Amino acid sequence: MKRNDEPQPGKPYPAHPTLRRQPLPWTDPKPDSEDPRSSDLVAAILKSPEYREADADTEYLRSDVTRGVRLQLDFQKTEHLLQTHGIGHSIVVFGSTRVCEPAAAERSVTMLEAECARNPGNADLARKLRIARRVEAKSRYYRIAQDFGRLVGNAGFPEGERLVILTGGGPGLMEAANRGAHDAGAPTVGLNITLPHEQFPNPYLTPGLCFRLHYFAIRKLHFLLRARALVVFPGGYGTLDELFETLTLIQTRKIAPLPVILVGEDYWQRVFDPDFLVEEGVIDPEDRDLFWFAETAEEIWTDILRWYERAGRPLLVEREQGRK
């Protein structure tokens, strides 16, 4: 450090921010010359997991006692990155991971037909063929989801405002929606979840906008924080879980109402009967009107725009910063 002025009595120069002229007593371990056991004892202390700083102790971070911290981190990383990328609004698309594109579904049916021909008495193969044919029939929804993703991806919005397709990031009908947006050159988001078995994100997600979360609860929160509509294609337990949770949140006004569109009336009428629930007195007639059906990508998109026009609300708005 260059000193241009002469030191004055009783007015020392500022101390160096890190260096000392005289080391402090603890900068070296107790020497073995004073106690032959010293090196081994100190080494044992330094190796113990308890001595690690908390943020470097992965075993501690994964323990039950730090679950609250992990929940916060699970939320905050995704939230921070979505904000960084300017993702403020989304249309959430759910649907079966098992309903593949038509060509793949057709190949599966052809393969099973050949196996059944070679094993005409095999009841298990016959059952698999029946299911494969049903999946093939539903594969038309892959094209609808892809077309819808493309419609949203091609929609023009004022500069700085962005509406993205957001899915669970898996294969099947969610892949189709991401694929359509990807084909349009638009950013598209996926929220994967950590599971006990191996999984991969679908290839049509935007790098940097595919996130892997640990907790289903945090994933559900991110699905709805930016949601401007929920579009639900035929699906199973996971799809039903997200659908009914969203309907419950709207029913109770825990979240503001938003369009909820079920694609494929024939399928959904067999899955559940809301009119029966009304007649049984377990939901109100107005709760039946929290969703409706659509059959094509164009109908879904038109319905969403019409809903916001009727509600007197803009499709894209500045996000509120209060409690959600």
Side-chain angles (χ1 to χ4, degrees):
M1 180 184 299
K2 186 176 181 180
R3 297 172 175 173
N4 296 320
D5 60 316
E6 294 296 325
Q8 297 176 347
K11 301 185 184 295
Y13 285 105
H16 191 278
T18 57
L19 300 179
R20 288 180 56 85
R21 294 191 297 274
Q22 179 64 39
L24 292 165
W26 53 78
T27 55
D28 292 305
K30 185 178 179 68
D32 287 350
S33 59
E34 296 180 8
D35 185 340
R37 303 170 300 169
S38 178
S39 293
D40 292 338
L41 292 172
V42 171
I45 294 169
L46 297 180
K47 289 179 182 178
S48 66
E50 293 79 7
Y51 193 74
R52 299 176 196 146
E53 292 183 19
D55 61 352
D57 188 349
T58 55
E59 184 177 350
Y60 172 70
L61 289 174
R62 292 172 180 169
S63 66
D64 288 345
V65 72
T66 56
R67 183 171 286 115
V69 175
R70 294 199 305 278
L71 282 161
Q72 183 178 358
L73 289 172
D74 213 31
F75 169 79
Q76 192 60 50
K77 179 182 178 182
T78 301
E79 177 67 15
H80 168 71
L81 292 171
L82 286 170
Q83 288 185 12
T84 299
H85 286 280
I87 306 299
H89 306 88
S90 66
I91 292 182
V92 180
V93 178
F94 292 123
S96 176
T97 60
R98 302 165 192 259
V99 178
C100 53
E101 54 188 300
E106 182 180 356
R107 286 195 299 270
S108 179
V109 169
T110 300
M111 181 188 69
L112 283 166
E113 286 176 339
E115 289 190 40
C116 285
R118 291 191 296 269
N119 302 275
N122 191 314
D124 185 55
L125 280 176
R127 180 186 62 82
K128 289 180 178 179
L129 178 57
R130 288 196 305 272
I131 293 173
R133 284 172 174 163
R134 287 183 177 274
V135 171
E136 183 184 24
K138 286 191 290 292
S139 67
R140 66 188 180 89
Y141 292 113
Y142 188 100
R143 295 296 186 215
I144 296 172
Q146 187 174 359
D147 289 344
F148 177 69
R150 189 180 298 111
L151 275 175
V152 176
N154 281 324
F157 297 103
E159 185 176 353
E161 297 184 348
R162 180 176 288 176
L163 179 70
V164 300
I165 291 289
L166 188 153
T167 76
L173 297 175
M174 292 181 290
E175 168 191 296
N178 290 130
R179 186 174 186 172
H182 173 86
D183 292 345
T188 183
V189 183
L191 301 180
N192 278 176
I193 189 76
T194 298
L195 298 171
H197 46 270
E198 186 71 28
Q199 68 162 342
F200 291 95
N202 74 63
Y204 306 108
L205 298 162
T206 301
L209 290 177
C210 180
F211 310 102
R212 187 170 67 173
L213 294 107
H214 182 80
Y215 294 101
F216 270 110
I218 300 300
R219 186 180 187 232
K220 290 171 183 289
L221 179 59
H222 278 302
F223 275 136
L224 292 178
L225 269 179
R226 292 167 169 79
R228 306 302 290 160
L230 175 65
V231 179
V232 191
F233 286 84
Y237 285 165
T239 303
L240 293 172
D241 173 44
E242 301 294 350
L243 168 61
F244 287 124
E245 180 164 48
T246 302
L247 289 176
T248 301
L249 291 170
I250 297 172
Q251 177 195 49
T252 58
R253 298 304 191 269
K254 187 66 176 175
I255 64 173
L258 72 160
V260 177
I261 303 172
L262 309 189
V263 185
E265 183 173 0
D266 288 346
Y267 177 85
W268 288 108
Q269 290 284 18
R270 295 195 64 183
V271 171
F272 78 108
D273 186 351
D275 296 324
F276 169 76
L277 298 177
V278 172
E279 290 301 316
E280 288 295 305
V282 293
I283 66 171
D284 294 318
E286 66 181 279
D287 299 325
R288 169 60 186 83
D289 296 332
L290 296 178
F291 67 91
W292 64 92
F293 304 105
E295 303 297 332
T296 68
E298 292 76 12
E299 184 182 7
I300 299 166
W301 184 232
T302 300
D303 283 353
I304 292 172
L305 296 178
R306 184 186 297 116
W307 189 95
Y308 277 98
E309 182 180 350
R310 288 175 172 174
R313 294 161 49 189
L315 176 58
L316 303 186
V317 296
E318 185 176 350
R319 287 186 64 209
E320 296 178 5
Q321 297 302 313
R323 290 178 59 190
K324 295 290 184 181

